[in-house]
Amino acid sequence: MKVFSTTNTDLHAISAELEASLPGNPTFILYFHSTSFDADLVAASLAGIFPGVPALGCSTSGEIVTGKMLNGGLVVAGFEADEIPRAEVVTIEGDDVKGAFAALESRFEQVDFSTHVGLILMDGLSGKEETLMESLSDSTDLTFLGGSAGDDLKFAKTYVAANGRLVKGPGAMALLYVPAGFDLIKTQSFSTTGVTLTPTLVDHQARAVLEFDGKPAAQAYADAVGVASVADAPNAFMTNPLGLMADDEPFVRSPQRIDGDKLHFYCSVHEGMELEVLKGQNIVEDTEEALSMFQYRSLIAFNCILRTLDLKNQGKTEAFGKLFTQPTIGLSTYGEAYLGHINQTATMLALH
Amino acid sequence: MAGQIHAAIQKIIVTRGKGNRVIENGTKTKLLLKGINASKWTSMSPDDPVMMSKVKQAAFELGVSI
Protein backbone atom coordinates (compact mmCIF):
# COMPACT_ATOMS: atom_id res chain seq x y z
CA MET A 1 0.00 0.00 0.00
CA LYS A 2 1.18 3.49 -0.81
CA VAL A 3 -0.64 6.44 0.69
CA PHE A 4 -1.22 10.08 -0.11
CA SER A 5 -2.68 12.68 2.21
CA THR A 6 -3.48 16.35 1.99
CA THR A 7 -5.62 19.08 3.49
CA ASN A 8 -5.49 21.11 0.27
CA THR A 9 -9.00 20.98 -1.18
CA ASP A 10 -7.86 22.16 -4.63
CA LEU A 11 -7.99 18.80 -6.38
CA HIS A 12 -6.57 20.18 -9.61
CA ALA A 13 -3.53 21.49 -7.78
CA ILE A 14 -2.83 18.23 -5.94
CA SER A 15 -3.58 15.72 -8.69
CA ALA A 16 0.00 15.45 -9.97
CA GLU A 17 1.41 14.89 -6.48
CA LEU A 18 -1.35 12.38 -5.74
CA GLU A 19 -0.63 10.41 -8.89
CA ALA A 20 3.10 10.42 -8.21
CA SER A 21 2.61 9.27 -4.62
CA LEU A 22 0.58 6.18 -5.47
CA PRO A 23 1.59 3.05 -7.40
CA GLY A 24 1.68 3.32 -11.17
CA ASN A 25 -0.64 0.38 -11.68
CA PRO A 26 -2.78 0.06 -8.59
CA THR A 27 -5.21 -2.82 -8.28
CA PHE A 28 -7.42 -1.08 -5.75
CA ILE A 29 -7.95 2.49 -4.57
CA LEU A 30 -9.35 3.20 -1.11
CA TYR A 31 -9.89 6.75 0.10
CA PHE A 32 -11.50 8.80 2.82
CA HIS A 33 -12.14 12.53 2.89
CA SER A 34 -13.56 15.35 4.95
CA THR A 35 -16.70 17.14 3.79
CA SER A 36 -14.35 20.06 3.06
CA PHE A 37 -13.84 18.22 -0.22
CA ASP A 38 -16.47 17.89 -2.94
CA ALA A 39 -17.28 14.16 -2.71
CA ASP A 40 -18.43 13.88 -6.31
CA LEU A 41 -15.31 15.61 -7.56
CA VAL A 42 -12.99 13.44 -5.46
CA ALA A 43 -14.60 10.26 -6.82
CA ALA A 44 -14.46 11.50 -10.40
CA SER A 45 -10.90 12.82 -10.08
CA LEU A 46 -9.57 9.52 -8.77
CA ALA A 47 -11.38 7.65 -11.54
CA GLY A 48 -9.79 10.05 -14.01
CA ILE A 49 -6.29 9.45 -12.65
CA PHE A 50 -6.76 5.69 -12.29
CA PRO A 51 -9.30 4.73 -14.95
CA GLY A 52 -10.86 1.31 -14.56
CA VAL A 53 -9.25 0.64 -11.18
CA PRO A 54 -11.78 -0.56 -8.56
CA ALA A 55 -12.24 2.27 -6.06
CA LEU A 56 -14.10 2.64 -2.80
CA GLY A 57 -14.33 5.71 -0.60
CA CYS A 58 -16.43 7.77 1.76
CA SER A 59 -16.68 10.98 3.71
CA THR A 60 -15.41 11.15 7.28
CA SER A 61 -15.31 12.95 10.58
CA GLY A 62 -11.53 12.86 10.60
CA GLU A 63 -8.94 10.90 8.70
CA ILE A 64 -6.05 8.62 9.64
CA VAL A 65 -2.90 8.14 7.64
CA THR A 66 0.51 6.71 8.44
CA GLY A 67 1.76 8.46 11.58
CA LYS A 68 -1.03 10.96 12.09
CA MET A 69 -4.66 11.87 12.43
CA LEU A 70 -6.04 14.61 10.20
CA ASN A 71 -8.95 17.02 10.25
CA GLY A 72 -10.35 18.31 6.98
CA GLY A 73 -8.16 16.00 4.95
CA LEU A 74 -8.13 13.60 2.04
CA VAL A 75 -6.30 10.28 2.40
CA VAL A 76 -5.88 7.91 -0.53
CA ALA A 77 -4.32 4.45 -0.60
CA GLY A 78 -3.22 2.62 -3.71
CA PHE A 79 -2.63 -1.12 -3.45
CA GLU A 80 -0.31 -3.05 -5.73
CA ALA A 81 -0.73 -6.49 -7.23
CA ASP A 82 1.77 -8.14 -4.89
CA GLU A 83 -0.47 -7.21 -1.94
CA ILE A 84 -3.97 -7.31 -3.46
CA PRO A 85 -3.86 -9.01 -6.87
CA ARG A 86 -7.59 -8.68 -7.32
CA ALA A 87 -10.32 -6.40 -5.96
CA GLU A 88 -13.92 -5.92 -6.92
CA VAL A 89 -16.26 -3.13 -5.81
CA VAL A 90 -20.05 -3.01 -6.03
CA THR A 91 -22.78 -0.71 -4.77
CA ILE A 92 -25.61 -1.88 -2.55
CA GLU A 93 -28.80 -1.30 -4.49
CA GLY A 94 -31.87 -0.60 -2.39
CA ASP A 95 -31.09 -2.47 0.82
CA ASP A 96 -30.14 -5.65 -1.02
CA VAL A 97 -26.81 -6.37 0.59
CA LYS A 98 -27.24 -10.09 -0.12
CA GLY A 99 -27.57 -9.32 -3.82
CA ALA A 100 -24.52 -7.09 -3.68
CA PHE A 101 -22.50 -9.82 -2.00
CA ALA A 102 -23.65 -12.40 -4.53
CA ALA A 103 -22.56 -10.06 -7.33
CA LEU A 104 -19.16 -9.62 -5.70
CA GLU A 105 -18.64 -13.31 -5.06
CA SER A 106 -19.62 -14.25 -8.60
CA ARG A 107 -16.73 -12.22 -9.97
CA PHE A 108 -14.22 -14.55 -8.31
CA GLU A 109 -13.66 -18.12 -9.44
CA GLN A 110 -13.17 -19.13 -5.84
CA VAL A 111 -13.36 -17.36 -2.49
CA ASP A 112 -11.61 -18.55 0.62
CA PHE A 113 -12.13 -17.51 4.22
CA SER A 114 -8.40 -17.07 4.80
CA THR A 115 -7.44 -15.15 1.64
CA HIS A 116 -10.51 -13.10 0.80
CA VAL A 117 -11.74 -10.22 2.93
CA GLY A 118 -14.49 -7.71 2.42
CA LEU A 119 -14.82 -4.01 3.12
CA ILE A 120 -18.15 -2.26 3.55
CA LEU A 121 -18.81 1.48 3.74
CA MET A 122 -22.29 2.67 4.66
CA ASP A 123 -24.22 5.91 4.82
CA GLY A 124 -23.66 6.96 8.42
CA LEU A 125 -27.01 8.68 8.69
CA SER A 126 -29.19 5.98 7.14
CA GLY A 127 -29.82 4.09 10.39
CA LYS A 128 -29.68 0.94 8.25
CA GLU A 129 -26.33 -0.38 9.38
CA GLU A 130 -27.68 -3.10 11.69
CA THR A 131 -30.03 -4.43 9.05
CA LEU A 132 -27.35 -4.40 6.38
CA MET A 133 -24.70 -6.01 8.55
CA GLU A 134 -27.03 -8.67 9.91
CA SER A 135 -28.11 -9.54 6.39
CA LEU A 136 -24.51 -9.61 5.17
CA SER A 137 -23.41 -11.78 8.09
CA ASP A 138 -26.28 -14.17 7.39
CA SER A 139 -25.10 -14.42 3.76
CA THR A 140 -21.46 -15.23 4.26
CA ASP A 141 -18.80 -16.35 6.68
CA LEU A 142 -16.13 -14.32 4.94
CA THR A 143 -14.76 -11.52 7.12
CA PHE A 144 -16.29 -8.16 6.30
CA LEU A 145 -15.34 -5.02 8.16
CA GLY A 146 -15.84 -1.36 7.59
CA GLY A 147 -17.67 1.61 8.88
CA SER A 148 -20.29 4.28 8.58
CA ALA A 149 -19.37 7.40 6.62
CA GLY A 150 -19.16 10.63 8.60
CA ASP A 151 -19.70 14.28 7.79
CA ASP A 152 -17.46 16.19 10.22
CA LEU A 153 -20.14 15.96 12.92
CA LYS A 154 -22.63 18.04 10.92
CA PHE A 155 -25.07 15.09 10.86
CA ALA A 156 -26.52 16.39 7.59
CA LYS A 157 -25.27 14.18 4.74
CA THR A 158 -22.62 11.53 4.32
CA TYR A 159 -21.16 10.22 1.07
CA VAL A 160 -20.06 6.80 -0.13
CA ALA A 161 -18.54 6.32 -3.56
CA ALA A 162 -17.77 3.29 -5.68
CA ASN A 163 -15.80 3.14 -8.90
CA GLY A 164 -15.81 6.87 -9.50
CA ARG A 165 -19.43 7.63 -8.63
CA LEU A 166 -21.35 8.52 -5.51
CA VAL A 167 -23.74 5.77 -4.52
CA LYS A 168 -27.45 6.49 -4.22
CA GLY A 169 -28.21 3.56 -1.93
CA PRO A 170 -27.03 2.80 1.61
CA GLY A 171 -23.45 1.91 0.75
CA ALA A 172 -20.89 -0.04 -1.20
CA MET A 173 -18.70 -3.07 -0.71
CA ALA A 174 -15.38 -4.45 -1.88
CA LEU A 175 -14.04 -7.96 -1.90
CA LEU A 176 -10.27 -8.23 -1.84
CA TYR A 177 -8.04 -11.18 -2.67
CA VAL A 178 -5.17 -11.10 -0.19
CA PRO A 179 -3.05 -14.18 -0.87
CA ALA A 180 -0.65 -13.47 1.99
CA GLY A 181 -3.57 -13.40 4.42
CA PHE A 182 -4.78 -10.87 6.94
CA ASP A 183 -5.78 -10.33 10.55
CA LEU A 184 -8.73 -8.50 11.98
CA ILE A 185 -7.76 -6.30 14.92
CA LYS A 186 -10.66 -5.06 17.02
CA THR A 187 -9.97 -3.11 20.15
CA GLN A 188 -12.36 -1.10 22.25
CA SER A 189 -10.24 0.06 25.15
CA PHE A 190 -12.77 -0.89 27.81
CA SER A 191 -12.75 -3.29 30.73
CA THR A 192 -15.77 -4.82 32.44
CA THR A 193 -17.01 -3.67 35.85
CA GLY A 194 -18.99 -6.78 36.78
CA VAL A 195 -22.21 -4.73 36.84
CA THR A 196 -24.86 -5.89 34.36
CA LEU A 197 -28.02 -4.36 32.95
CA THR A 198 -30.57 -6.43 31.05
CA PRO A 199 -33.05 -4.63 28.79
CA THR A 200 -36.56 -5.82 29.62
CA LEU A 201 -38.45 -3.35 27.43
CA VAL A 202 -37.00 -2.09 24.14
CA ASP A 203 -38.09 0.12 21.25
CA HIS A 204 -36.00 -1.67 18.63
CA GLN A 205 -36.83 0.78 15.83
CA ALA A 206 -35.73 3.79 17.87
CA ARG A 207 -32.63 2.00 19.24
CA ALA A 208 -34.00 2.84 22.70
CA VAL A 209 -34.25 0.92 25.95
CA LEU A 210 -37.31 1.78 28.04
CA GLU A 211 -36.52 -0.52 30.96
CA PHE A 212 -33.50 -2.31 32.36
CA ASP A 213 -34.37 -5.14 34.75
CA GLY A 214 -37.93 -3.81 35.01
CA LYS A 215 -36.82 -0.30 36.05
CA PRO A 216 -36.89 2.93 34.03
CA ALA A 217 -33.83 2.70 31.77
CA ALA A 218 -32.32 6.13 32.39
CA GLN A 219 -32.47 5.75 36.17
CA ALA A 220 -31.16 2.19 36.04
CA TYR A 221 -28.18 3.31 33.95
CA ALA A 222 -27.49 6.26 36.27
CA ASP A 223 -27.55 3.93 39.27
CA ALA A 224 -25.32 1.37 37.56
CA VAL A 225 -22.60 3.87 36.69
CA GLY A 226 -22.86 5.59 40.07
CA VAL A 227 -23.80 9.13 39.10
CA ALA A 228 -25.91 11.28 41.40
CA SER A 229 -28.88 11.74 39.08
CA VAL A 230 -30.28 10.97 35.64
CA ALA A 231 -29.28 14.48 34.58
CA ASP A 232 -25.64 13.57 35.25
CA ALA A 233 -25.81 10.27 33.34
CA PRO A 234 -24.78 11.66 29.91
CA ASN A 235 -21.43 12.62 31.46
CA ALA A 236 -20.75 8.90 31.81
CA PHE A 237 -21.73 7.89 28.26
CA MET A 238 -18.21 8.16 26.86
CA THR A 239 -16.43 6.34 29.67
CA ASN A 240 -19.17 3.91 30.68
CA PRO A 241 -20.91 2.46 27.63
CA LEU A 242 -22.48 -0.99 27.81
CA GLY A 243 -21.01 -4.14 26.32
CA LEU A 244 -22.56 -7.25 24.86
CA MET A 245 -20.01 -9.84 25.85
CA ALA A 246 -18.86 -12.44 23.32
CA ASP A 247 -16.74 -14.50 25.75
CA ASP A 248 -14.37 -11.81 27.07
CA GLU A 249 -14.75 -9.47 24.11
CA PRO A 250 -17.27 -6.64 24.42
CA PHE A 251 -19.38 -5.54 21.47
CA VAL A 252 -19.90 -1.99 22.67
CA ARG A 253 -23.36 -0.44 22.70
CA SER A 254 -22.86 3.29 23.23
CA PRO A 255 -25.56 5.38 24.88
CA GLN A 256 -26.51 8.39 22.77
CA ARG A 257 -29.06 10.40 24.76
CA ILE A 258 -31.70 10.30 27.45
CA ASP A 259 -35.31 10.99 26.55
CA GLY A 260 -37.49 10.92 29.67
CA ASP A 261 -37.09 7.44 31.11
CA LYS A 262 -35.65 6.09 27.85
CA LEU A 263 -32.00 5.59 27.02
CA HIS A 264 -31.18 5.81 23.31
CA PHE A 265 -28.17 4.03 21.83
CA TYR A 266 -26.03 4.41 18.71
CA CYS A 267 -26.81 0.79 17.86
CA SER A 268 -29.62 -1.56 18.66
CA VAL A 269 -30.04 -3.83 21.67
CA HIS A 270 -32.43 -6.72 22.20
CA GLU A 271 -34.68 -7.54 25.12
CA GLY A 272 -33.09 -10.10 27.41
CA MET A 273 -29.59 -9.32 26.06
CA GLU A 274 -27.41 -9.07 29.17
CA LEU A 275 -25.12 -6.04 28.94
CA GLU A 276 -22.05 -5.31 31.04
CA VAL A 277 -21.31 -1.81 32.25
CA LEU A 278 -17.86 -1.02 30.85
CA LYS A 279 -15.11 1.23 32.13
CA GLY A 280 -12.87 3.25 29.84
CA GLN A 281 -9.17 2.51 29.59
CA ASN A 282 -6.29 4.42 28.03
CA ILE A 283 -7.10 4.36 24.29
CA VAL A 284 -3.54 5.01 23.15
CA GLU A 285 -1.96 2.35 25.38
CA ASP A 286 -4.68 -0.19 24.65
CA THR A 287 -4.48 0.32 20.89
CA GLU A 288 -0.69 0.17 20.97
CA GLU A 289 -0.87 -3.15 22.80
CA ALA A 290 -3.44 -4.49 20.33
CA LEU A 291 -1.32 -3.50 17.32
CA SER A 292 1.84 -4.95 18.86
CA MET A 293 0.35 -8.44 18.81
CA PHE A 294 0.30 -8.58 15.01
CA GLN A 295 2.80 -8.50 12.17
CA TYR A 296 1.53 -6.75 9.07
CA ARG A 297 2.64 -4.72 6.08
CA SER A 298 -0.25 -2.28 5.95
CA LEU A 299 -3.35 -1.32 7.88
CA ILE A 300 -6.88 -0.08 7.18
CA ALA A 301 -8.37 1.51 10.31
CA PHE A 302 -11.97 2.30 11.20
CA ASN A 303 -11.88 4.32 14.41
CA CYS A 304 -15.10 5.41 16.12
CA ILE A 305 -15.72 9.15 16.22
CA LEU A 306 -16.44 8.83 19.96
CA ARG A 307 -12.91 7.55 20.48
CA THR A 308 -11.57 10.38 18.34
CA LEU A 309 -13.50 12.94 20.40
CA ASP A 310 -12.16 11.38 23.59
CA LEU A 311 -8.62 11.53 22.20
CA LYS A 312 -9.15 15.19 21.25
CA ASN A 313 -10.49 16.01 24.72
CA GLN A 314 -7.38 14.48 26.24
CA GLY A 315 -4.97 16.03 23.73
CA LYS A 316 -3.86 12.59 22.57
CA THR A 317 -4.56 12.62 18.83
CA GLU A 318 -0.88 13.07 18.01
CA ALA A 319 0.11 10.14 20.22
CA PHE A 320 -2.62 8.01 18.69
CA GLY A 321 -1.59 8.88 15.13
CA LYS A 322 2.01 7.92 15.88
CA LEU A 323 0.90 4.36 16.65
CA PHE A 324 0.43 3.79 12.93
CA THR A 325 4.00 3.20 11.89
CA GLN A 326 3.24 0.89 8.96
CA PRO A 327 1.48 2.26 5.84
CA THR A 328 -1.99 3.09 7.13
CA ILE A 329 -5.23 4.59 5.89
CA GLY A 330 -8.34 5.12 7.98
CA LEU A 331 -11.08 7.35 9.18
CA SER A 332 -13.17 8.38 12.17
CA THR A 333 -16.53 6.71 11.60
CA TYR A 334 -20.11 7.04 12.74
CA GLY A 335 -19.93 3.35 13.69
CA GLU A 336 -17.81 0.36 12.81
CA ALA A 337 -18.85 -2.78 11.01
CA TYR A 338 -17.80 -6.27 11.98
CA LEU A 339 -20.42 -9.04 12.14
CA GLY A 340 -22.79 -6.26 13.15
CA HIS A 341 -22.91 -2.52 13.69
CA ILE A 342 -20.70 -1.60 16.65
CA ASN A 343 -19.48 1.48 18.48
CA GLN A 344 -16.42 2.83 20.25
CA THR A 345 -13.92 0.46 18.66
CA ALA A 346 -10.92 0.64 16.45
CA THR A 347 -11.69 -2.11 13.96
CA MET A 348 -8.71 -2.65 11.70
CA LEU A 349 -7.67 -4.82 8.80
CA ALA A 350 -4.02 -5.81 8.99
CA LEU A 351 -2.74 -7.03 5.63
CA HIS A 352 0.16 -9.50 5.69
CA MET B 1 -38.90 -31.43 27.73
CA ALA B 2 -35.65 -29.59 28.11
CA GLY B 3 -32.60 -28.91 26.02
CA GLN B 4 -34.25 -28.32 22.65
CA ILE B 5 -33.02 -24.72 22.49
CA HIS B 6 -29.47 -25.82 23.29
CA ALA B 7 -29.66 -28.53 20.64
CA ALA B 8 -30.98 -26.12 18.02
CA ILE B 9 -28.30 -23.55 18.80
CA GLN B 10 -25.57 -26.17 18.59
CA LYS B 11 -26.90 -27.38 15.26
CA ILE B 12 -26.74 -23.85 13.87
CA ILE B 13 -23.16 -23.41 15.09
CA VAL B 14 -21.91 -26.79 13.85
CA THR B 15 -23.71 -26.64 10.51
CA ARG B 16 -22.59 -23.14 9.74
CA GLY B 17 -19.05 -23.69 11.07
CA LYS B 18 -18.35 -26.74 8.87
CA GLY B 19 -15.61 -27.78 11.27
CA ASN B 20 -13.85 -24.40 11.23
CA ARG B 21 -13.46 -23.15 14.80
CA VAL B 22 -13.10 -19.52 13.74
CA ILE B 23 -16.37 -19.65 11.79
CA GLU B 24 -18.06 -21.45 14.70
CA ASN B 25 -17.03 -18.64 17.03
CA GLY B 26 -18.17 -16.08 14.48
CA THR B 27 -21.54 -17.84 14.30
CA LYS B 28 -21.84 -17.68 18.10
CA THR B 29 -21.23 -13.93 17.90
CA LYS B 30 -23.78 -13.56 15.09
CA LEU B 31 -26.31 -15.33 17.31
CA LEU B 32 -25.36 -13.09 20.22
CA LEU B 33 -25.99 -10.00 18.09
CA LYS B 34 -29.41 -11.46 17.25
CA GLY B 35 -30.10 -11.68 21.01
CA ILE B 36 -29.23 -15.37 21.50
CA ASN B 37 -26.40 -16.06 23.92
CA ALA B 38 -25.32 -19.62 23.09
CA SER B 39 -23.36 -20.01 26.33
CA LYS B 40 -26.49 -19.40 28.45
CA TRP B 41 -28.31 -22.46 27.11
CA THR B 42 -27.49 -26.01 28.22
CA SER B 43 -29.01 -29.43 27.67
CA MET B 44 -30.90 -28.86 30.94
CA SER B 45 -32.40 -25.49 29.95
CA PRO B 46 -36.21 -25.39 29.76
CA ASP B 47 -37.79 -25.11 26.33
CA ASP B 48 -38.98 -21.51 26.50
CA PRO B 49 -41.29 -21.14 23.47
CA VAL B 50 -40.42 -17.46 22.94
CA MET B 51 -36.70 -18.22 22.79
CA MET B 52 -37.30 -21.31 20.65
CA SER B 53 -39.14 -19.13 18.16
CA LYS B 54 -36.22 -16.69 18.17
CA VAL B 55 -33.73 -19.51 17.55
CA LYS B 56 -35.85 -20.89 14.68
CA GLN B 57 -35.92 -17.45 13.10
CA ALA B 58 -32.14 -17.13 13.48
CA ALA B 59 -31.67 -20.59 11.92
CA PHE B 60 -33.82 -19.54 8.98
CA GLU B 61 -31.84 -16.33 8.51
CA LEU B 62 -28.56 -18.23 8.67
CA GLY B 63 -29.80 -20.83 6.21
CA VAL B 64 -29.74 -23.76 8.64
CA SER B 65 -32.53 -26.32 8.87
CA ILE B 66 -33.32 -27.38 12.43
Side-chain angles (χ1 to χ4, degrees):
Chain A
M1 177 207 289
K2 288 183 179 172
V3 294
F4 168 81
S5 68
T6 185
T7 51
N8 183 352
T9 57
D10 184 345
L11 291 174
H12 183 70
I14 63 172
S15 63
E17 187 189 352
L18 190 159
E19 186 171 4
S21 302
L22 297 185
N25 294 299
T27 52
F28 177 51
I29 298 288
L30 181 66
Y31 64 95
F32 306 116
H33 61 82
S34 159
T35 51
S36 306
F37 290 79
D38 181 321
D40 205 1
L41 204 54
V42 172
S45 297
L46 288 168
I49 296 169
F50 303 106
V53 178
L56 181 68
C58 73
S59 57
T60 68
S61 282
E63 306 74 43
I64 299 169
V65 70
T66 316
K68 60 187 172 186
M69 298 184 89
L70 296 176
N71 274 314
L74 163 69
V75 293
V76 186
F79 296 84
E80 294 172 279
D82 65 336
E83 188 170 24
I84 299 178
R86 178 98 188 270
E88 294 286 346
V89 174
V90 299
T91 59
I92 303 167
E93 303 293 339
D95 293 340
D96 186 15
V97 72
K98 288 188 178 184
F101 174 70
L104 267 183
E105 193 178 30
S106 70
R107 296 182 188 183
F108 290 80
E109 285 181 10
Q110 186 182 348
V111 292
D112 184 279
F113 179 79
S114 60
T115 55
H116 291 74
V117 63
L119 298 176
I120 180 166
L121 300 178
M122 294 171 281
D123 177 350
L125 300 175
S126 66
K128 293 179 177 176
E129 294 102 320
E130 271 110 359
T131 309
L132 293 173
M133 284 309 297
E134 187 171 348
S135 187
L136 180 59
S137 292
D138 289 344
S139 305
T140 179
D141 292 310
L142 293 179
T143 300
F144 266 84
L145 73 160
S148 305
D151 68 346
D152 296 307
L153 295 172
K154 294 173 197 162
F155 299 107
K157 186 166 178 56
T158 70
Y159 300 89
V160 176
N163 298 328
R165 293 187 176 195
L166 296 183
V167 306
K168 292 177 180 160
M173 298 155 56
L175 189 57
L176 315 177
Y177 173 43
V178 188
F182 62 90
D183 284 303
L184 177 108
I185 308 173
K186 174 176 159 293
T187 183
Q188 43 279 311
S189 311
F190 288 104
S191 60
T192 55
T193 62
V195 178
T196 62
L197 289 170
T198 303
T200 46
L201 191 58
V202 165
D203 179 347
H204 202 70
Q205 197 76 22
R207 292 175 172 170
V209 177
L210 284 70
E211 291 181 1
F212 283 117
D213 303 304
K215 298 172 191 163
Q219 186 64 56
Y221 174 79
D223 292 345
V225 299
V227 294
S229 68
V230 168
D232 294 326
N235 297 331
F237 286 174
M238 193 88 87
T239 49
N240 295 110
L242 304 183
L244 176 64
M245 303 302 295
D247 295 323
D248 292 332
E249 184 185 2
F251 280 68
V252 180
R253 326 318 270 170
S254 301
Q256 183 194 50
R257 64 189 165 90
I258 284 172
D259 174 16
D261 288 338
K262 290 186 279 189
L263 184 59
H264 286 259
F265 286 80
Y266 282 108
C267 55
S268 71
V269 295
H270 293 266
E271 282 178 16
M273 178 189 263
E274 190 176 272
L275 302 169
E276 282 254 11
V277 177
L278 304 176
K279 184 172 64 177
Q281 294 179 309
N282 185 312
I283 291 176
V284 175
E285 287 177 7
D286 178 72
T287 308
E288 183 175 28
E289 187 181 345
L291 290 170
S292 71
M293 295 167 71
F294 296 89
Q295 297 271 330
Y296 52 91
R297 63 187 284 183
S298 57
L299 194 74
I300 301 169
F302 299 91
N303 189 53
C304 182
I305 181 61
L306 296 175
R307 285 166 56 95
T308 301
L309 291 173
D310 199 14
L311 288 165
K312 283 182 179 176
N313 288 340
Q314 296 184 47
K316 291 182 175 175
T317 53
E318 190 177 340
F320 187 74
K322 284 181 177 170
L323 298 178
F324 302 107
T325 52
Q326 294 292 97
T328 299
I329 185 171
L331 78 157
S332 296
T333 71
Y334 283 173
E336 303 77 70
Y338 171 58
L339 297 177
H341 176 54
I342 50 181
N343 301 133
Q344 280 182 271
T345 73
T347 298
M348 300 174 278
L349 178 64
L351 300 173
H352 296 174
Chain B
M1 287 287 288
Q4 288 191 42
I5 292 172
H6 172 72
I9 289 171
Q10 291 310 309
K11 183 165 185 192
I12 294 171
I13 293 168
V14 169
T15 305
R16 189 82 185 208
K18 299 186 187 83
N20 183 315
R21 183 59 62 88
V22 176
I23 297 176
E24 285 183 1
N25 286 336
T27 305
K28 281 184 196 171
T29 305
K30 289 176 187 181
L31 289 170
L32 189 66
L33 292 169
K34 290 176 185 287
I36 300 164
N37 188 341
S39 65
K40 296 277 182 188
W41 298 89
T42 71
S43 56
M44 304 299 286
S45 300
D47 296 332
D48 173 15
V50 175
M51 180 52 71
M52 193 63 203
S53 170
K54 206 171 185 175
V55 173
K56 283 181 178 172
Q57 179 63 27
F60 173 75
E61 290 168 356
L62 289 162
V64 177
S65 300
I66 57 173

